[in-house]
Amino acid sequence: MGVTIKDIAQKAGVSYSTVSRALNGIGSENGERRKRILKIAKEMGYVPNQAAIHLKLSRSYVIGLYFSTISKMTSPFVLHDVLTGVYSIVGSKYNIVVKGIDMHEPGTLNPSYYDGIIVLSQRTGDRVFMDEVLEKKIPMVVICRQVDVEAPNVTTDETKAMETAMDYLIENGHRNICVIEGAPNLDSTKLRHIGWQNSAKRHGLDPSAIPTVSGTYRYASGYQGAKLLLEYHPTALLCFNDEMAFGAREAIAEEGLRVPEDVSLIGFDNWDMSGYNSMKLTTVERSMSEIAKEGTRVLLRRIEDGVEDNSRTVLENRLIVRDTVKRIE
């Protein structure tokens, strides 16, 4: 009987998956560890399975990356972070095709075109598309939003994360708080809405008395929302993402006010906005790049190793304290 990948894994003291990725030149298995694994495989006389080779040759080496929508709701920062995360894992092994689910024509998915699909889901209406992917038996992973489908799921607890952000403002003495939320039809908005309301109730504040506007997760809507909310003379603005927080900061400055001396500001996502503004924003970190990386690893285990694991992975969020929240004594 010939030498198998499992034999190599046992001798190298690594996992079956690690050996498979090293032999196929995928992701991070390209350094010294890969060289060592290849050396062991050669010494053991490993010969690749011809049936497996045929299967590889029949692959398209294309992964579909589908967003709920690209034109209306997906921030360019999300798009950048997710693409960066995906490519950091697949390297040059696969081509990535980016599309919007809202532009997909039902029934047109071609199973021979994709080796796998990553779905960045932001709304419940994406379920129709996901059902089509499963029906066509295309390997799939769903990231960003918690979903109940027969596929692996990588996400974070957005409710708890936004509760943490509101806690921080209230625990720093703020009671006159206004909120700039995201697009109302997105699940992320609904989950974050529950979070800040939970915090307000727990601290004895009436959520219905807290002035709130809906944004679009884009810079302009943060600016416009802040313009409206500043009429309430808040001591703090809670924003549903960093991009809107930076838009809010522009509106605050136009009113002759300062952050955080006059108005404290807190965001969500911890994106790199240094190219747009020098403000060191206090925010909750939800790394879309890390979510995308883990989702891609899960998908490649399915494509390359045949591992079918439909479990849910929940990554941690953390509060990043910088300079935009003033403590009120």
Side-chain angles (χ1 to χ4, degrees):
M1 183 175 178
V3 176
T4 67
I5 290 179
K6 290 184 179 179
D7 296 329
I8 300 170
Q10 185 175 6
K11 183 165 184 178
V14 297
S15 68
Y16 172 91
S17 176
T18 297
V19 173
S20 176
R21 290 166 64 80
L23 294 175
N24 288 296
I26 295 176
S28 61
E29 306 304 333
N30 291 310
E32 292 303 315
R33 181 162 62 173
R34 179 170 185 258
K35 292 178 182 178
R36 177 172 168 268
I37 290 171
L38 292 176
K39 183 174 183 291
I40 291 173
K42 183 177 180 180
E43 291 173 349
M44 294 181 70
Y46 171 72
V47 178
N49 182 283
Q50 294 303 310
I53 292 175
H54 176 74
L55 177 61
K56 291 181 187 297
L57 291 175
S58 68
R59 289 179 184 163
S60 65
Y61 290 95
V62 173
I63 290 176
L65 177 56
Y66 277 81
F67 292 79
S68 292
T69 173
I70 294 177
S71 60
K72 296 180 181 178
M73 300 173 198
T74 299
S75 164
F77 297 98
V78 170
L79 181 62
H80 173 268
D81 283 356
V82 171
L83 275 173
T84 300
V86 172
Y87 270 116
S88 73
I89 300 301
V90 303
S92 59
K93 181 81 171 183
Y94 292 86
N95 291 313
I96 308 301
V97 175
V98 179
K99 291 192 175 185
I101 294 174
D102 57 333
M103 301 176 68
H104 173 69
E105 184 178 340
T108 61
L109 270 181
N110 185 345
S112 66
Y113 187 69
Y114 294 115
D115 286 343
I117 288 178
I118 300 170
V119 178
L120 193 152
S121 179
Q122 296 173 290
R123 58 188 183 185
T124 55
D126 299 337
R127 180 60 184 264
V128 176
F129 175 77
M130 289 185 272
D131 285 344
E132 183 179 346
V133 177
L134 293 174
E135 181 184 347
K136 298 289 180 65
K137 301 187 184 304
I138 303 172
M140 175 178 71
V141 61
V142 183
I143 66 174
C144 187
R145 185 175 71 89
Q146 181 173 317
V147 295
D148 184 20
V149 296
E150 292 298 315
N153 188 197
V154 181
T155 184
T156 64
D157 189 340
E158 295 183 68
T159 297
K160 179 63 176 176
M162 189 54 75
E163 188 172 343
T164 298
M166 190 64 157
D167 283 347
Y168 186 70
L169 288 177
I170 296 174
E171 289 164 3
N172 274 278
H174 294 276
R175 292 295 183 274
N176 186 10
I177 302 169
C178 292
V179 182
I180 303 177
E181 298 195 333
N185 62 325
L186 296 184
D187 279 15
S188 288
T189 301
K190 298 171 186 176
L191 292 170
R192 298 177 196 186
H193 174 83
I194 294 170
W196 76 256
Q197 290 213 334
N198 285 345
S199 173
K201 292 173 185 176
R202 188 159 37 78
H203 287 92
L205 300 180
D206 179 7
S208 65
I210 295 177
T212 305
V213 297
S214 293
T216 63
Y217 290 109
R218 305 303 291 270
Y219 186 96
S221 70
Y223 171 83
Q224 294 161 359
K227 281 287 191 181
L228 295 172
L229 293 175
L230 287 173
E231 295 181 2
Y232 294 92
H233 305 290
T235 63
L237 289 178
L238 173 66
C239 300
F240 270 31
N241 78 340
D242 293 350
E243 189 173 345
M244 291 194 298
F246 278 82
R249 194 252 189 162
E250 181 179 345
I252 292 169
E254 284 186 1
E255 294 297 317
L257 302 173
R258 297 169 299 165
V259 176
E261 290 84 357
D262 302 308
V263 183
S264 290
L265 197 59
I266 192 166
F268 192 102
D269 281 325
N270 194 32
W271 293 335
D272 180 10
M273 300 284 288
S274 58
Y276 298 83
N277 206 305
S278 60
M279 179 174 68
K280 295 178 175 61
L281 180 67
T282 294
T283 184
V284 175
E285 182 177 61
R286 182 189 67 147
S287 175
M288 287 306 303
S289 177
E290 291 303 319
I291 293 173
K293 286 179 183 179
E294 182 59 26
T296 306
R297 292 187 190 103
V298 171
L299 184 63
L300 289 182
R301 285 197 291 269
R302 170 74 185 280
I303 295 171
E304 297 291 336
D305 305 329
V307 177
E308 296 191 33
D309 180 5
N310 293 334
S311 61
R312 177 175 296 121
T313 301
V314 181
L315 302 182
E316 292 293 324
N317 298 300
R318 64 191 181 102
L319 182 69
I320 308 295
V321 177
R322 297 195 180 101
D323 302 337
T324 59
V325 175
K326 175 185 176 182
R327 182 170 183 80
I328 299 178
E329 300 297 340

